[in-house]
């Protein structure tokens, strides 16, 4: 049987990796849906109603699946990480409760109006519902990220002992909830969600634009796909550079508040100055290829690059090495490569945005087959970047579950056996593969079905007029 600590960590990693897909999709779609609704009401152009109705379907599916998988994560705190829940429950439970009572209820209540109420409420109330849904989606992120960021940079607490158990006592809620990590994490996560959806939207739209303009196939609603591509590119031109710029500030903050994590990101074992920023690095000994903590590396890098990143411009700055810490280092290879994949994707997204913007400016956006292929190939890479970013965040924090306060090995439920943990891990692997396959199938069907036709929009408008006449008594 797998060790219960390892099995619990693998299970939580699996459920988190799958779950994060759905809130990223819903959080990223929220600003788009608000914009589509506003343009639909203001301009009365059918294409904006098509955009709103089409992408609302994907939003609704993502919301439902995200709710289910999110509940599983919260239950795991009790089943697999009871020791952590006992220790940090006073602080950790508050944000999770507020997320449910405030954000989820707001989103769920108005989602019914937004999905089913277009023909039953006024334009003003309907637009308000779109804002409420988007606000609820982003408020969920606020409370979840408050909890996680506190685990990275804990503040506003003291350690007390009750019945022989060390517990976290909340002493300053503002300091705890507005801890130093939270603003960096929130901006980075929300911008990443919008950027990921923009890439997904651009990739899907590029497929239909490519088939129509390059291959010459007749495509229904081609104006819809062209509009989707243009809107996605505008958003990508904003979010892609912002993500890299803010990510640079975020990395500097990590170097100041979690130096061990930053050392793992850069594979720095010995404290040194003028540390290179490795582009690639591999174990010098073939026997260490599968050792995530190997120290002898051969790499190609930018001299002084890591020091420059850590200090904000000084290539001679000193970076504290992993050997100087008293605790065991995290799996360096995992953190090192996850960080590089994330950064490489960030710059690739900038290139895509500039490439698409340039072709649009030249009037060649719909004819550039290579751009279309690149966008199609990159449609899911935003989600990949989010996943590897969270790997850096969570794996890089090890061996701590609460930085400097509680180790992960001490956070697992004390009575959990290896057999129980292994059994539930295997069950979750099977169940989540099925769930993700079903979600992919449903979203694929929505995309293949395309937006509602102009005739469907006309019929909907006719029903809306008739219901308005009945309501007014005419």
């Amino acid at each position: 049987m797998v060790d219960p600590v390892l099995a619990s960590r693998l299970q939580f990693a699996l459920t988190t990796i799958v779950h994060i897909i759905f809130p990223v999709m819903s959080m990223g779609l929220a600003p788009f849906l608000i914009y589509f609704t506003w343009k639909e009401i203001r301009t009365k152009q059918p294409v904006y109603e098509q955009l709103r109705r089409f992408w609302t379907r994907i939003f609704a599916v993502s919301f439902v699946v995200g709710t289910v998988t999110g509940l599983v994560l919260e239950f795991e705190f009790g089943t697999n990480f009871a020791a952590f829940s006992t220790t940090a429950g006073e602080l950790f439970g508050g944000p999770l409760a507020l997320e449910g009572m405030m954000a989820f209820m707001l989103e769920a209540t108005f989602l019914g109006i937004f999905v089913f109420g277009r023909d039953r409420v006024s334009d003003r109330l309907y637009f308000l519902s779109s804002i409420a849904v988007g606000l609820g989606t982003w408020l969920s992120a606020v409370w979840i990220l408050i909890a996680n960021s506190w685990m990275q940079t804990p503040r506003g607490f003291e350690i007390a002992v009750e019945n022989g158990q060390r517990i976290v006592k909340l002493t300053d809620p503002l300091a705890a909830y507005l801890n130093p990590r939270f603003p960096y994490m929130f901006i980075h996560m929300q911008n990443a969600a919008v950027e990921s959806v923009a890439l997904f939207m651009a990739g899907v739209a590029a497929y239909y634009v490519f088939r129509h303009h390059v291959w010459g196939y007749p495509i229904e609603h081609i104006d819809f796909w062209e509009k989707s591509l243009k809107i996605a590119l505008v958003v990508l031109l904003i979010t892609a550079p912002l993500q890299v710029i803010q990510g640079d500030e975020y990395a500097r903050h990590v170097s100041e508040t979690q130096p061990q994590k930053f050392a793992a990101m850069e594979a720095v074992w010995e404290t040194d100055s003028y540390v290179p920023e490795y582009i690639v690095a591999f174990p010098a000994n073939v026997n260490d290829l599968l050792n995530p903590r190997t120290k002898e590396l051969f790499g190609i890098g930018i001299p002084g690059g890591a020091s420059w990143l850590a200090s904000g411009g000084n290539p001679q700055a000193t970076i504290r090495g992993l050997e100087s810490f008293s605790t065991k280092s995290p799996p360096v290879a995992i953190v090192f490569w996850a960080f590089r994949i994330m950064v490489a994707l960030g710059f690739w997204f900038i290139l895509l945005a500039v490439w698409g913007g340039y072709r649009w400016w030249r009037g060649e956006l719909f004819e550039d087959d290579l751009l279309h292929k690149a966008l199609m190939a990159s449609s899911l890479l935003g989600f990949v970047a989010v996943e590897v970013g969270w790997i850096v965040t969570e794996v890089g924090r090890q061996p701590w579950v609460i930085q400097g306060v509680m180790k992960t090995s001490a956070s697992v439920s004390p009575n959990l056996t290896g057999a129980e943990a292994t059994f539930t891990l295997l069950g979750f692997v099977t169940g989540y593969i099925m769930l993700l396959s079903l979600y992919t199938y449903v979203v694929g069907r929505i995309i293949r079905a395309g937006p509602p036709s102009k005739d469907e929009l006309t019929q909907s408008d006719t029903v809306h007029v008739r219901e308005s006449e009945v309501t007014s008594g005419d």
Side-chain angles (χ1 to χ4, degrees):
M1 294 294 104
V2 180
D3 175 71
V5 175
L6 177 60
S8 295
R9 290 177 63 185
L10 290 174
Q11 179 178 306
F12 199 82
L14 166 71
T15 51
T16 304
I17 284 171
V18 175
H19 166 74
I20 196 64
I21 296 170
F22 314 120
V24 166
M25 183 68 84
S26 57
M27 290 186 304
L29 274 173
F32 286 97
L33 295 179
I34 293 172
Y35 173 73
F36 296 154
T37 305
W38 174 68
K39 291 291 285 185
E40 174 193 347
I41 293 171
R42 184 171 180 178
T43 68
K44 307 299 182 185
Q45 293 181 26
V47 68
Y48 288 108
E49 183 178 353
Q50 289 178 307
L51 285 163
R52 190 258 308 164
R53 291 175 61 173
F54 176 82
W55 292 105
T56 296
R57 295 171 186 169
I58 295 177
F59 177 92
V61 172
S62 302
F63 171 80
V64 170
V65 182
T67 300
V68 174
T69 55
L71 288 173
V72 171
L73 288 175
E74 296 198 13
F75 277 117
E76 283 180 300
F77 287 120
T79 58
N80 294 73
F81 296 94
F84 166 78
S85 299
T86 301
T87 299
E90 180 172 313
L91 193 140
F92 204 75
L96 295 185
L98 285 168
E99 189 265 340
M101 293 186 295
M102 179 190 296
F104 176 76
M105 292 306 297
L106 176 67
E107 183 181 7
T109 300
F110 281 92
L111 184 62
I113 298 174
F114 187 67
V115 174
F116 303 110
R118 183 67 187 99
D119 300 329
R120 295 173 174 82
V121 298
S122 66
D123 288 347
R124 182 175 298 178
L125 180 56
Y126 191 75
F127 180 60
L128 177 63
S129 72
S130 71
I131 295 175
V133 168
L135 179 62
T137 304
W138 280 45
L139 276 176
S140 289
V142 167
W143 293 111
I144 296 301
L145 293 178
I146 281 175
N148 188 276
S149 62
W150 179 83
M151 295 164 67
Q152 310 284 338
T153 54
R155 299 289 190 276
F157 74 101
E158 65 180 14
I159 298 295
V161 177
E162 290 186 3
N163 300 321
Q165 173 75 45
R166 295 174 76 247
I167 63 170
V168 170
K169 282 288 187 180
L170 184 62
T171 58
D172 186 345
L174 282 180
Y177 292 173
L178 301 179
N179 62 80
R181 178 60 51 83
F182 172 69
Y184 291 94
M185 187 174 279
F186 180 75
I187 294 171
H188 205 65
M189 182 63 209
Q190 300 312 100
N191 190 74
V194 177
E195 182 182 21
S196 299
V197 168
L199 283 161
F200 180 71
M201 189 179 293
V204 173
Y207 170 75
Y208 288 100
V209 170
F210 175 80
R211 294 190 66 190
H212 182 78
H213 288 280
V214 179
W215 282 357
Y217 290 170
I219 298 294
E220 277 191 290
H221 320 299
I222 190 59
D223 57 332
F224 168 87
W225 297 113
E226 291 172 353
K227 178 69 75 172
S228 296
L229 179 57
K230 287 181 176 180
I231 291 172
L233 277 177
V234 170
V235 174
L236 198 58
L237 279 165
I238 297 170
T239 56
L242 176 60
Q243 192 71 354
V244 171
I245 293 169
Q246 196 270 339
D248 175 67
E249 295 289 335
Y250 191 173
R252 194 165 305 120
H253 171 73
V254 170
S255 74
E256 296 170 354
T257 56
Q258 292 179 298
Q260 188 175 25
K261 177 189 290 187
F262 188 82
M265 289 160 55
E266 300 296 345
V268 180
W269 287 95
E270 302 291 340
T271 301
D272 202 357
S273 58
Y274 199 62
V275 179
E277 177 68 35
Y278 286 114
I279 299 171
V280 294
F282 302 97
N285 190 330
V286 177
N287 296 326
D288 290 330
L289 282 175
L290 299 180
N291 179 8
R293 292 183 173 86
T294 184
K295 299 178 183 179
E296 299 297 327
L297 300 174
F298 171 78
I300 301 172
I302 303 169
S307 294
W308 184 90
L309 177 64
S311 64
N314 179 13
Q316 299 293 336
T318 299
I319 296 179
R320 186 179 174 186
L322 291 165
E323 292 284 13
S324 67
F325 295 92
S326 59
T327 55
K328 187 178 181 180
S329 65
V332 176
I334 296 174
V335 181
F336 177 88
W337 282 110
F339 180 64
R340 270 139 193 82
I341 293 169
M342 179 184 66
V343 171
L345 288 174
F347 282 104
W348 170 243
F349 300 155
I350 292 177
L351 177 61
L352 273 180
V354 174
W355 184 3
Y358 174 73
R359 286 302 189 186
W360 188 356
W361 176 68
R362 290 288 302 272
E364 301 167 345
L365 177 60
F366 302 142
E367 289 74 30
D368 190 338
D369 60 329
L370 188 59
L371 172 63
H372 299 158
K373 292 175 182 177
L375 288 171
M376 285 186 276
S378 303
S379 58
L380 297 178
L381 291 185
F383 295 91
V384 174
V386 170
E387 299 284 10
V388 293
W390 274 106
I391 288 173
V392 173
T393 298
E394 298 304 305
V395 178
R397 182 181 58 196
Q398 301 306 313
W400 302 103
V401 64
I402 306 173
Q403 185 70 42
V405 176
M406 186 181 198
K407 291 187 175 180
T408 305
S409 57
S411 67
V412 175
S413 303
N415 296 322
L416 184 66
T417 66
E420 293 169 336
T422 303
F423 176 75
T424 57
L425 172 61
L426 294 175
F428 273 107
V429 169
T430 303
Y432 271 58
I433 288 174
M434 295 172 60
L435 178 67
L436 194 56
S437 299
L438 180 60
Y439 175 79
T440 304
Y441 170 74
V442 172
V443 171
R445 284 200 61 176
I446 292 172
I447 292 172
R448 287 192 296 271
S453 66
K454 299 288 177 59
D455 291 339
E456 290 179 87
L457 301 183
T458 303
Q459 293 170 7
S460 177
D461 290 341
T462 302
V463 171
H464 181 44
V465 169
R466 288 175 178 172
E467 289 186 349
S468 299
E469 290 174 350
V470 171
T471 303
S472 61
D474 292 338

